Amino acid sequence: MASNHFGDLFRITTFGESHGKAIGVVLDGCPAGIKIAKEEIDSALSVRQPGKNPYTSPRAEKDEVEIISGLFEGKTTGAPITLIIWNRDADSSKYEPIKNLLRPGHANFTYLQKYGIFDYRGGGRSSARETAARVAAGAIAKKLLAHYDIELCAFISEIGGIPIAEPNLDSIPKLRKKILANPLFCPDTKASEKMMKAIEDAKEEGDSLGGILQCAVTHLPVGLGDPVYGKLEAKLASAMLSIPATKGFEIGSGFAAARMKGSEHNDAFDVDEHGKITTTTNYAGGTLGGISTGLPLTFRVAFKPTSSIKKSQKTVNLKGEKKPFNLPEGSRHDPCVAIRAVPIIEAMTALVLADALLLNRSSRIDS
């Protein structure tokens, strides 16, 4: 199985399965001298952790990282960093009754066709459980970004067709505090109350909901990203669409740009009060020609409704015989996978930007 790594210089390789002994990540190319504590990585993992409220999976997986290599006296050494997270609350028994059925919306059909074998216990390698390893590596990437005063946050901007009011991006720390105080990681309290009601209604019906996440990055330098195939938005799109259940990516005005005129969409150049070149609007979302402009980087990611639902569905078994599909009693799944994707979006954003920062150091020699 190929493609278990991501990044060029700041590069991760994840390993492990949903119901295996552990999942983990090897981070290569991290500069020496970054201060990082186990508690900081565990804190990032706790944001992703399920079982905290009725709007996420009841699986009680208290993730804690074990640092195997790459750190000494609280600092990165420049050597590969190996992080392991042990699986402690996997219940494979719930998958035995459905192991010979093709699960609607899941990857067992394509995995079986491609590899001839599939770990049906929780989805194995295709499970979103793998993303905990990305969050662990992302915590280190965030520390590198913080060294350059780069701030970022992700949040729920829509669930079940219920949108939020556009938040103020002037202070990422204030916005982050607001997001973390909300059970849905949503900065709009009124909208989140409607979302919670919609999720509860969907759960009562044995169904699920999809959602949209937004991410904002501030204090980025000008120059990150490389034409032609290494454009910053292309790297971000690749990162976001590698996350399970993602179905769409847009940056800046995104698909709405197709309904605008050039005179409306063009971001006019100007000079601010400090004599710095800027633009009066940011429809581009923080990039031009695939290179960061220094303005806030803003993008959105669409997540499909959770595929595992209590409603009876139609499927076939491995022999091609038509069968009903019903989740076994006691199955544990998120009613809206978008909610727990917030720290994953942040982690993948941080990994892309950390890689772009290091790559940018080789862009030219100043005279």
Side-chain angles (χ1 to χ4, degrees):
M1 185 183 292
S3 302
N4 292 293
H5 56 264
F6 183 83
D8 293 311
L9 296 182
F10 198 90
R11 183 182 181 95
I12 65 166
T13 302
T14 66
F15 58 88
E17 293 81 34
S18 177
H19 286 218
K21 288 186 177 181
I23 55 172
V25 60
V26 177
L27 170 57
D28 200 8
C30 181
I34 297 174
K35 291 183 179 180
I36 185 76
K38 175 186 182 299
E39 291 74 21
E40 291 175 285
I41 301 174
D42 287 343
S43 177
L45 288 170
S46 72
V47 180
R48 182 196 167 280
Q49 186 179 315
K52 291 184 174 181
N53 59 57
Y55 313 109
T56 60
S57 165
R59 180 171 175 173
E61 197 84 68
K62 190 178 186 302
D63 289 333
E64 289 187 4
V65 72
E66 185 174 338
I67 302 171
I68 304 298
S69 66
L71 267 73
F72 181 67
E73 295 182 342
K75 293 181 181 179
T76 57
T77 64
I81 300 168
T82 305
L83 308 174
I84 287 183
I85 303 163
W86 299 99
N87 291 328
R88 295 190 174 93
D89 189 41
D91 183 2
S92 301
S93 65
K94 299 295 186 292
Y95 294 91
E96 282 294 326
I98 57 174
K99 66 181 182 181
N100 293 320
L101 296 174
L102 296 180
R103 298 173 65 193
H106 287 80
N108 50 347
F109 170 71
T110 48
Y111 269 58
L112 282 168
Q113 291 293 309
K114 184 176 178 69
Y115 302 111
I117 188 170
F118 179 70
D119 184 350
Y120 60 84
R121 305 166 305 162
R125 187 68 181 151
S126 69
S127 170
R129 177 75 184 134
E130 177 268 345
T131 61
R134 308 189 199 194
V135 172
I140 299 174
K142 284 182 180 180
K143 293 286 290 195
L144 176 59
L145 299 185
H147 178 76
Y148 295 96
D149 298 320
I150 297 169
E151 298 175 331
L152 67 91
C153 73
F155 51 89
I156 290 288
S157 64
E158 185 176 314
I159 286 178
I162 302 166
I164 66 169
E166 193 64 30
N168 188 336
L169 303 180
D170 289 344
S171 174
I172 293 295
K174 284 183 180 178
L175 180 59
R176 170 177 284 280
K177 189 175 181 181
K178 201 172 183 180
I179 293 162
L180 293 177
N182 187 281
L184 301 186
F185 302 123
C186 176
D188 186 331
T189 304
K190 288 183 178 179
S192 70
E193 288 173 356
K194 294 178 183 177
M195 293 174 188
M196 285 185 262
K197 176 64 166 58
I199 293 170
E200 289 165 359
D201 289 345
K203 283 179 68 177
E204 283 292 318
E205 297 167 2
D207 222 324
S208 61
L209 295 176
I212 299 174
L213 272 73
Q214 185 169 333
C215 186
V217 186
T218 58
H219 305 149
L220 271 182
V222 179
L224 301 190
D226 293 281
V228 173
Y229 302 110
K231 291 181 178 181
L232 190 58
E233 60 262 48
K235 293 289 185 75
L236 286 167
S238 175
M240 299 309 139
L241 295 178
S242 74
I243 300 169
T246 52
K247 287 296 174 184
F249 172 88
E250 62 176 6
I251 185 167
S253 58
F255 288 97
R259 299 186 290 273
M260 299 170 73
K261 294 179 179 178
S263 56
E264 297 172 312
H265 188 267
N266 285 343
D267 297 313
F269 284 101
D270 200 356
V271 177
D272 65 17
E273 63 272 22
H274 305 293
K276 181 181 176 182
I277 295 176
T278 184
T279 59
T280 55
T281 55
N282 190 24
Y283 290 117
T287 69
L288 286 172
I291 299 170
S292 62
T293 62
L295 271 69
L297 182 70
T298 60
F299 61 87
R300 286 164 296 283
V301 185
F303 282 79
K304 70 175 183 177
T306 312
S307 297
S308 297
I309 57 175
K310 289 186 177 180
K311 274 189 173 181
S312 183
Q313 302 176 81
K314 294 178 181 180
T315 191
V316 298
N317 62 18
L318 299 183
K319 296 178 181 178
E321 299 167 334
K322 293 182 179 181
K323 296 286 182 180
F325 182 87
N326 296 289
L327 285 176
E329 282 297 320
S331 297
R332 303 172 297 179
H333 301 282
D334 291 276
C336 177
V337 291
I339 299 168
R340 288 204 296 131
V342 167
I344 306 166
I345 293 288
E346 289 191 359
M348 293 307 292
T349 302
L351 290 167
V352 169
L353 296 177
D355 196 34
L357 276 168
L358 297 181
L359 284 166
N360 196 50
R361 293 168 69 92
S362 65
S363 61
R364 73 178 187 184
I365 297 174
D366 290 320
S367 58

